[in-house]
Amino acid sequence: MGKTNVFVFFSLSYYDPISDDGRCFGKTDILVCGRKRGLAVERLRIWRIGLLISLVMILLAGCSGDPTLSVLDPKGSAAKIQLNLIYWSLGLMTVVFVIVITIFVYVLVRYRKRKGQDRMPEQVHGSTKLEIIWTVIPIAALIALAIPTVQYTFDLAEAPPAEETVIIDVTGYQFWWEFKYPQYGITTAQEVHIPVGKKILFRVHGKDVLHSFWVPSLGGKVDVVPGRVNTVILDAKEAGVYQGKCAELCGSGHALMDFKVFAKNQADFDKWKDQMKQPAPTVATTSSEANGEKIFQQNCIGCHAGVNPNIQGPNLNKFATRTTIAGVLPHNDENLKIWLRNPQSVKPGTLMPKIDYLNKDELNDLIKYLDSRK
């Protein structure tokens, strides 16, 4: 076998259908085909990675540890209206997407380059007719989306009759929420209670930085701006517990600036209201509670009773009735110890200082006192 025959055999073993004429003979052709094959493999790999990432993102978009954080399962009037807008805009965008992709594929197939054909397709640049068409269609789509959006915006902003409305003043702090009921003289934190079927007027403002008040199951977000009061009207159609969040990056503890909305039937709401209006016990029933009250007066009251103008802490008069500690930990004595000893380990950025200087008995007495605040 001579040199020529060996070279031909080597060339044929690198036959590459990607090459222009489907054949690879000669040293130069082998190099060219190799480059083309490498580029094709690289493009295929990029497409596969892109497709995998897209599928993973789509799957993760449907994940939620708490079903009440999903806007796709509305439990209030505002949330249902807003979900209808989501569906309408999604349908409109799907129609636009299908039309664009159909035209795109048609043009690729219809005007693709063919063997023996070197002429350019007809150029339509400057066609007044086509430019009018693809200007009018987007405007029509925007109008179709704007009409129900504007209508629903005004409907949701319409104030209900005062006698049928529960007013709640919401104040956002880093990183907790205060709720005041001016009609009932009630102040609480981290948990808000509302009657089912009634309109709730939330008057929202902030004390430090920008926040965003959001209960996904009941309605959309509203900005929390220091020095300005924004309002949102929500209601709950079903009794239940709904998760609330801060939806504006406000610092290191932003992700843990949670609160809960307890929607109750009218009878249960009235019971809660009556309980909250009862004054906290003024006389300790045990020596441990008495000592705990003394520790509270010495270490906590400065922030939690508004004495310290630099730090505003939550009202703790009915602390024992709350289901969470700092809005994130289940309420029990062990978690309360963790919170008191090192609040930063639970909620980074919180202004509450450590109380890690109390001995075991003093800490237990303080917890017993707090547990008596019902």
Side-chain angles (χ1 to χ4, degrees):
M1 184 179 289
K3 284 187 177 180
T4 304
N5 292 334
V6 172
F7 184 72
V8 171
F9 173 80
F10 184 68
S11 299
L12 290 173
S13 67
Y14 277 81
Y15 169 77
D16 191 341
I18 301 174
S19 58
D20 292 336
D21 58 359
R23 303 176 66 190
C24 288
F25 291 104
K27 189 174 180 179
T28 303
D29 291 336
I30 291 174
L31 295 175
V32 172
C33 290
R35 292 194 191 100
K36 289 186 177 181
R37 174 181 290 153
L39 290 173
V41 171
E42 182 65 19
R43 285 196 294 267
L44 181 60
R45 188 171 70 87
I46 293 173
W47 273 101
R48 286 175 176 173
I49 293 174
L51 180 60
L52 178 61
I53 292 174
S54 300
L55 290 175
V56 170
M57 291 178 65
I58 291 173
L59 291 174
L60 291 179
C63 295
S64 174
D66 187 342
T68 64
L69 287 175
S70 173
V71 299
L72 302 179
D73 186 20
K75 301 298 182 182
S77 300
K80 289 182 179 179
I81 289 175
Q82 289 161 358
L83 181 60
N84 289 337
L85 277 178
I86 291 175
Y87 286 149
W88 172 241
S89 60
L90 181 62
L92 198 61
M93 288 185 287
T94 301
V95 171
V96 173
F97 178 79
V98 169
I99 292 174
V100 171
I101 292 299
T102 300
I103 295 173
F104 177 72
V105 172
Y106 170 77
V107 171
L108 284 180
V109 175
R110 176 69 178 82
Y111 298 104
R112 71 187 185 279
K113 185 177 180 180
R114 294 176 172 84
K115 286 185 179 181
Q117 186 181 69
D118 294 328
R119 71 179 185 85
M120 290 289 291
E122 180 185 353
Q123 301 301 296
V124 295
H125 176 71
S127 171
T128 303
K129 180 179 179 180
L130 288 178
E131 290 185 1
I132 290 175
I133 290 174
W134 56 55
T135 300
V136 169
I137 290 178
I139 293 175
L142 288 175
I143 292 174
L145 185 61
I147 290 175
T149 301
V150 172
Q151 179 184 345
Y152 287 147
T153 299
F154 281 99
D155 289 346
L156 292 175
E158 186 176 350
E163 62 274 8
E164 300 176 8
T165 307
V166 176
I167 299 173
I168 301 177
D169 292 328
V170 182
T171 306
Y173 297 88
Q174 288 181 308
F175 299 94
W176 61 281
W177 300 92
E178 180 182 71
F179 302 101
K180 290 184 178 181
Y181 297 72
Q183 296 159 306
Y184 313 128
I186 295 172
T187 300
T188 186
Q190 300 301 102
E191 297 180 356
V192 56
H193 295 248
I194 62 174
V196 171
K198 272 197 171 182
K199 297 293 184 181
I200 313 298
L201 174 61
F202 290 97
R203 302 188 299 202
V204 185
H205 75 289
K207 282 292 186 179
D208 36 48
V209 299
L210 295 176
H211 303 284
S212 182
F213 179 82
W214 187 32
V215 188
S217 291
L218 302 185
K221 308 168 188 177
V222 58
D223 289 335
V224 181
V225 183
R228 176 176 177 176
V229 177
N230 290 329
T231 61
V232 61
I233 300 170
L234 303 176
D235 65 356
K237 296 300 184 183
E238 301 177 14
V241 181
Y242 305 108
Q243 187 69 33
K245 300 286 289 186
C246 174
E248 179 84 26
L249 181 60
C250 55
S252 53
H254 159 70
L256 299 173
M257 191 172 167
D258 294 357
F259 63 95
K260 293 185 183 297
V261 178
F262 291 81
K264 303 171 177 284
N265 60 50
Q266 189 63 50
D268 290 338
F269 176 75
D270 289 339
K271 289 180 183 178
W272 173 84
K273 183 175 62 176
D274 293 340
Q275 179 188 15
M276 294 296 291
K277 292 172 73 173
Q278 292 294 323
T282 56
V283 179
T285 57
T286 66
S287 58
S288 293
E289 289 180 10
N291 189 45
E293 182 177 10
K294 182 179 178 181
I295 295 171
F296 181 85
Q297 297 286 343
Q298 294 172 341
N299 297 272
C300 310
I301 199 169
C303 300
H304 289 284
V307 178
N308 186 344
N310 297 319
I311 301 177
Q312 175 68 46
N315 186 308
L316 300 180
N317 279 340
K318 297 291 181 177
F319 174 76
T321 65
R322 298 173 193 165
T323 62
T324 62
I325 298 169
V328 291
L329 294 176
H331 193 148
N332 57 57
D333 289 352
E334 286 304 312
N335 284 336
L336 186 52
K337 288 179 182 178
I338 293 172
W339 171 255
L340 292 173
R341 285 172 177 159
N342 190 3
Q344 291 284 342
S345 67
V346 177
K347 186 179 284 189
T350 182
L351 297 179
M352 180 171 169
K354 296 180 181 179
I355 306 181
D356 55 357
Y357 46 83
L358 300 178
N359 63 41
K360 182 179 178 181
D361 291 336
E362 290 172 334
L363 185 61
N364 287 335
D365 289 346
L366 176 59
I367 289 174
K368 288 180 180 178
Y369 170 71
L370 291 173
D371 287 341
S372 70
R373 311 287 288 177
K374 298 181 180 179

